[in-house]
Structure formats: C-alpha cells, structure tokens
Amino acid sequence: MSYSLEFKQLFLQSSATIGGKKEYRGPLGHYFDYHYSDSYHKQKSFEDAEVMMARDVIQLAINKAKLDKEKIKVAFGGDLSNQMAISSGAIKNFDFAYGGVFGACSSFILALINAGLVCSNNHNTYALAFTSSSYATSERQFRYPIEYGIQKKDTVTVTVTGAASAVVGKRPTKIKINRATIGNVVDADWDNVNDVGSPMSLAAYTTIRDHLKNNNLDPSYYDLILTGDLSTIGSKILIDCFKTDGIILTNYNDAGNLIYVRGDKDIHAGGSGPACIGLVSMSYIVDKMEKKELKRVLLVGTGALYSPTMAYQHHTIPIVAHAIELEVYEK
C-alpha cells in the first residue's frame, strides 16, 4: 500500500534545469535555464559530461535560491548509472551531507520527497534535490553501445539528456509543496525491457489512486496530473485504468510526451529517464505556476527498477511510482 504524508510550511525555493541538444530543440527548450550543445560538452567521456551537467545544475539551483550555501545542509540525488556514480561524482564538489536515492525514472520525485522530509523537521534547514540522465550513458548501460547502431523497437523510449535540481525550505515563496505519496513496488508480470512504459502505467495508477484516496481528493482537484514517464503507450493504458473506475482523466499528461517534437521518428514512444520529469516540471510547470496559469499540480515519477542482467534471465520488471503535490501559494 502506498504511504501518503503532508508537509507543513514547505516551499520550493528555486529550480534549475539544463537540457541536451535534442531536448533544447523540443517544444519546451526555451524554458530551460541552459543547454549543452553536444553529448561530450568538452569532456573525455559521456559519463564525465553527465557529471559536469549534474554539478552545474546543482550550482545553478543554489545561485537562484539566493541563499548562503551553508544553509543548505543536505542533498538527495540519483541517476541511472551503476551505483549512482554520476550523482556521487557531482555532489562531491559540494560540502553537503548526501543521500543517494534510486527510483530509476522516479528518482527526482523521490529526492524531492526526502528533501522535504528533512526540512519539515528543521525550520532553519534547506535541502536540495537533483537528478540527471544522458542518452549516451544510459544507452550503453541498459541496451547497446550507440556505435552498435541497433534498430529500436517502436515501443522504446529515448533517455532524456538533461539535469534538474531544486532547493526546498520553509521560507515562503510562490510555490508550496503540500503532500506526497511514496508508492509501493508493483509486479505487472512484465519482462519486455523494450517497453517499460506499459508496466509503469500500473504503478502510476496505483500511486495516483492511493494518493487521491488517502487524501480524500478527486482528480479534478488538480489542474494537471503529470506522470514521468509512461510513453505514448503507457499513458493510454493509465487513462484506461481510471476509466475502469468510472473516472475520465481530462487533466492528465506525461512528461515523456511533452519534451520532444511529436512525430519525430527518432523519439519512438517518447522521452524517459530521471531528467525527463525533472526538466519538464522544474522549467515548464514551474513557469506556468509562477504565472498562475496552473494552480495545483500533482507530479508522479514512475520507475522501472530492473537490472539488465536479471532482465536477460527473464525476471519480471519491478515498477514503482512516487507523487508530490505543488500548489501556488496565496498569501
């Protein structure tokens, strides 16, 4: 069963985003703070470039928060690399206590929840959440080296190259963080790693359903329910899941369906990766909320928690989803 919690006087102090070349050319690229022009960014390897991207987005969020760095006591972050080596490589440049979190593509939402829990227990503490992903680093870890040139299935999602970060604390700002739901791991009896959007839709459905039930809310309470990232296929399954409950989701979208130009054959079923919902939420969604074009938003990060080795052994893919609620703060 999912676990819901409520934050007391918690606010988004700042948000920062860095996108890759392809992401910047997408429909939301102009909302990003910065973008890289290539996958190496003058580094020796794709991994070094991702570490630099994560480090840069952390520093950017700190600068935008306009806080003394000493007031930020702890950081939570995660990525898709083995043992979260990217996140550790980035955060070692800062003098913060660090907690690594892994939720696959849900890592940023999980990091935000953990940061919020720290701040909820200390009025004078600020915390930071961050994530990153790179098509180049993830592709060769979870599928094949890019140089291999393997033809992709239509159901495959493209790992987003980008990084996102946020600082949270109790100082009132334009955006308040009200509630969160930590999801439980679900087994959809699915082992096809070329389509993880389909099974993740079950985790998204479970967490959204539990979040609404636990907080006695109707889906219409939110201006937008945004998942990240179910793909074009998984998004339709999620909508169908709620239809069986007699609920028509008219206020729903998916970050993986928003970040790239629709119809581009190279994106297949849409975007994925921890940076996907991070980039979309901390740029586009925050901008819309600051302009009061969106008042309440539920961000739902979804993750396929599989090991390539175990996938080759035909184990089913564990899936999870975590949710966090943002609201425009009316003084």
Side-chain angles (χ1 to χ4, degrees):
M1 184 70 180
S2 304
Y3 176 76
S4 297
L5 56 101
E6 188 168 345
F7 298 111
K8 293 182 179 178
Q9 202 71 7
L10 183 68
F11 296 87
L12 185 69
Q13 305 296 312
S14 69
S15 64
T17 53
I18 297 176
K21 182 179 180 180
K22 190 178 187 70
E23 292 69 25
Y24 176 68
R25 289 178 174 176
L28 307 183
H30 61 286
Y31 290 100
F32 303 158
D33 292 299
Y34 187 68
H35 74 279
Y36 282 3
S37 59
D38 59 66
S39 298
Y40 281 104
H41 199 58
K42 300 179 182 179
Q43 301 302 301
K44 293 181 179 180
S45 69
F46 297 134
E47 287 75 17
D48 287 342
E50 189 180 345
V51 168
M52 186 176 183
M53 185 166 52
R55 185 186 68 201
D56 287 350
V57 85
I58 291 169
Q59 186 61 60
L60 190 55
I62 294 169
N63 295 344
K64 291 176 71 176
K66 297 179 180 179
L67 290 168
D68 291 334
K69 193 184 296 184
E70 292 72 24
K71 290 188 176 181
I72 301 174
K73 303 297 184 183
V74 61
F76 294 93
D79 60 273
L80 293 178
S81 67
N82 287 331
Q83 297 177 283
M84 295 182 292
I86 301 293
S87 298
S88 300
I91 204 65
K92 71 180 182 182
N93 296 279
F94 302 89
D95 190 23
F96 301 146
Y98 167 62
V101 296
F102 183 77
C105 299
S106 69
S107 294
F108 183 65
I109 303 302
L110 187 58
L112 269 178
I113 294 172
N114 277 275
L117 287 170
V118 167
C119 294
S120 294
N121 291 320
N122 193 321
H123 285 273
N124 299 314
T125 293
Y126 294 85
L128 183 140
F130 72 97
T131 194
S132 67
S133 57
S134 167
Y135 172 79
T137 60
S138 298
E139 188 72 7
R140 62 184 177 188
Q141 179 167 304
F142 286 97
R143 297 189 179 102
Y144 299 94
I146 326 178
E147 297 83 358
Y148 191 73
I150 190 170
Q151 187 170 349
K152 304 289 196 309
K153 306 282 188 181
D154 289 339
T155 54
V156 166
T157 51
V158 176
T159 302
V160 166
T161 298
S165 184
V167 176
V168 300
K170 289 185 171 289
R171 181 183 65 178
T173 64
K174 292 181 179 180
I175 299 176
K176 192 175 183 183
I177 305 173
N178 285 334
R179 303 178 180 94
T181 294
I182 300 171
N184 57 302
V185 175
V186 179
D187 187 351
D189 194 24
W190 191 271
D191 63 1
N192 181 8
V193 297
N194 290 305
D195 175 11
V196 293
S198 293
M200 286 196 301
S201 62
L202 177 60
Y205 165 73
T206 302
T207 296
I208 296 169
R209 180 200 63 193
D210 291 351
H211 177 85
L212 296 173
K213 181 180 179 181
N214 294 346
N215 292 291
N216 195 27
L217 298 174
D218 187 84
S220 61
Y221 178 78
Y222 296 104
D223 296 319
L224 175 66
I225 296 174
L226 182 74
T227 54
D229 20 73
L230 298 183
S231 78
T232 54
I233 301 167
S235 298
K236 293 175 183 177
I237 296 174
L238 175 65
I239 291 172
D240 288 341
C241 286
F242 276 99
K243 280 183 180 178
T244 61
D245 293 339
I247 297 171
I248 306 298
L249 287 182
T250 58
N251 55 343
Y252 166 72
N253 215 324
D254 183 80
N257 297 334
L258 291 174
I259 199 163
Y260 293 125
V261 177
R262 292 203 174 203
D264 184 342
K265 63 179 182 179
D266 292 332
I267 66 169
H268 304 284
S272 63
C276 188
I277 195 168
L279 277 179
V280 175
S281 63
M282 293 297 105
S283 61
Y284 172 68
I285 298 301
V286 165
D287 180 82
K288 293 295 182 184
M289 295 190 75
E290 289 179 341
K291 293 175 180 175
K292 297 186 178 181
E293 295 175 14
L294 293 171
K295 297 291 184 68
R296 295 192 190 99
V297 176
L298 185 67
L299 304 176
V300 186
T302 60
L305 311 176
Y306 75 92
S307 153
T309 301
M310 294 180 72
Y312 297 149
Q313 297 168 355
H314 301 290
H315 286 270
T316 55
I317 301 171
I319 52 176
V320 73
H322 307 294
I324 196 163
E325 175 190 312
L326 306 182
E327 182 179 23
V328 172
Y329 179 57
E330 304 283 1
K331 296 182 180 179

